[in-house]
Amino acid sequence: MYRFLLTPRWIAMALLVLVLVPIMVELGFWQFHRHEHKVAHNDLISANIEREPVPAESILAVGRKLPGDLQWRRVTVTGMYDTEHEMLARNRSQDGVPGFYVVTPLITADGRALLVDRGWVKNPPTASERPEVPPAPSGRVTVTGRLRPDETRKDSGIRDLELPDGLVMRISGFELAAKLPYPILGGYVELTEQTPMAAKAPALIPEPDDEDLGPHLAYAVQWWIFAFALVAMFVKLVRSEAKELESELAALDEEAASASEEPATI
């Protein structure tokens, strides 16, 4: 009854199913793992933002990458802004508006410095103009903010471009260390509070969303449904083909039986 499965057409269909089903299942697990990663990421954000700030110098070091479990950790640091070496990080949007992040080194009492992302300013009217940047406070300031890792091309996808002085593509103490006259602590800080607060300052960067899980779990379920549906469709086609052949054989048997029952003509 099922010998038709050995025909080239059905062998090709079976091979196609055998190839596509594992791929769909694997894609489902890939999306599920991305969902798990997003859950862990959101949990880390929630935990670190809710913790009390600690001195940045107590957990950061010169030339050392920011450990993954310290991302979004709130810290405080006291020092003086070095506005002479202030930089603008390009292609940073806020609320859908393109602009720059204002990155200013903060020199601590021991001579080390930490990059502080003071916030966002919008693009100027033309590309040849510099944006209007509110000046950093002079004198001693205390900054509270969220720790962020140094941006790399591999992790951020931000490519290299030749830029005028004072502009950067990525916020990275490792990349800027050669241009600065003091040692740089690993990582940088997104400013959330500052004492004293300037009368006019760049727009603060919003707190990260720790509730959005994205569509990954839904995509995982969809891929698994596609895999099940493909198998179900193949089985349905096989059964339909077998039923059709069975009907044809039954019709042939009836014709043969009718022919054998007819009286012979003399």
Side-chain angles (χ1 to χ4, degrees):
M1 180 65 67
Y2 290 94
R3 292 180 62 84
F4 64 87
L5 291 174
L6 299 177
T7 60
R9 170 172 167 264
W10 282 97
I11 290 175
M13 289 177 60
L15 289 175
L16 184 62
V17 171
L18 289 174
V19 169
L20 291 179
V21 167
I23 291 175
M24 291 177 176
V25 171
E26 183 61 28
L27 286 171
F29 278 111
W30 174 62
Q31 289 290 351
F32 182 71
H33 293 324
R34 293 188 68 186
H35 168 74
E36 289 183 317
H37 177 76
K38 185 67 174 177
V39 171
H41 178 72
N42 287 355
D43 289 344
L44 177 66
I45 292 175
S46 300
N48 280 347
I49 285 182
E50 290 173 3
R51 297 172 70 181
E52 287 297 317
V54 296
E57 299 95 326
S58 67
I59 56 177
L60 300 179
V62 174
R64 187 178 72 187
K65 292 179 62 176
L66 180 71
D69 60 348
L70 292 182
Q71 291 190 39
W72 308 109
R73 184 75 166 87
R74 293 200 301 150
V75 296
T76 60
V77 58
T78 299
M80 298 181 64
Y81 280 121
D82 176 14
T83 55
E84 181 181 348
H85 293 98
E86 184 170 83
M87 292 151 283
L88 299 177
R90 295 184 68 236
N91 296 333
R92 310 296 169 129
S93 62
Q94 195 150 302
D95 296 326
V97 180
F100 299 83
Y101 282 164
V102 182
V103 182
T104 313
L106 186 74
I107 305 174
T108 63
D110 62 8
R112 297 180 298 173
L114 179 61
L115 298 180
V116 177
D117 185 346
R118 296 199 293 121
W120 176 89
V121 293
K122 67 179 181 179
N123 279 350
T126 64
S128 60
E129 297 181 60
R130 300 278 289 191
E132 182 180 344
V133 179
S138 59
R140 189 178 176 87
V141 296
T142 297
V143 167
T144 301
R146 301 179 289 261
L147 282 178
R148 304 294 295 124
D150 292 283
E151 295 176 342
T152 66
R153 181 170 183 175
K154 178 182 177 181
D155 295 334
S156 68
I158 302 173
R159 67 185 190 279
D160 297 299
L161 287 178
E162 291 292 332
L163 298 173
D165 289 342
L167 297 181
V168 295
M169 294 298 297
R170 294 183 292 268
I171 305 174
S172 171
F174 294 113
E175 296 181 5
L176 296 172
K179 302 179 182 179
L180 300 175
Y182 32 70
I184 300 292
L185 294 169
Y188 69 95
V189 169
E190 286 180 353
L191 185 147
T192 57
E193 300 174 40
Q194 181 177 270
T195 305
M197 197 67 179
K200 188 177 181 182
L204 295 180
I205 300 172
E207 190 171 285
D209 186 354
D210 60 355
E211 295 183 357
D212 180 23
L213 293 176
H216 305 300
L217 183 59
Y219 288 163
V221 173
Q222 284 179 1
W223 279 117
W224 292 332
I225 290 175
F226 291 158
F228 176 81
L230 185 59
V231 173
M233 182 180 67
F234 180 75
V235 171
K236 183 178 180 181
L237 289 174
V238 169
R239 295 181 64 181
S240 177
E241 183 78 4
K243 187 175 181 180
E244 186 177 335
L245 288 174
E246 185 179 4
S247 298
E248 292 177 359
L249 290 174
L252 290 174
D253 288 343
E254 288 181 5
E255 288 181 9
S258 298
S260 63
E261 292 175 1
E262 289 181 2
T265 56
I266 301 175

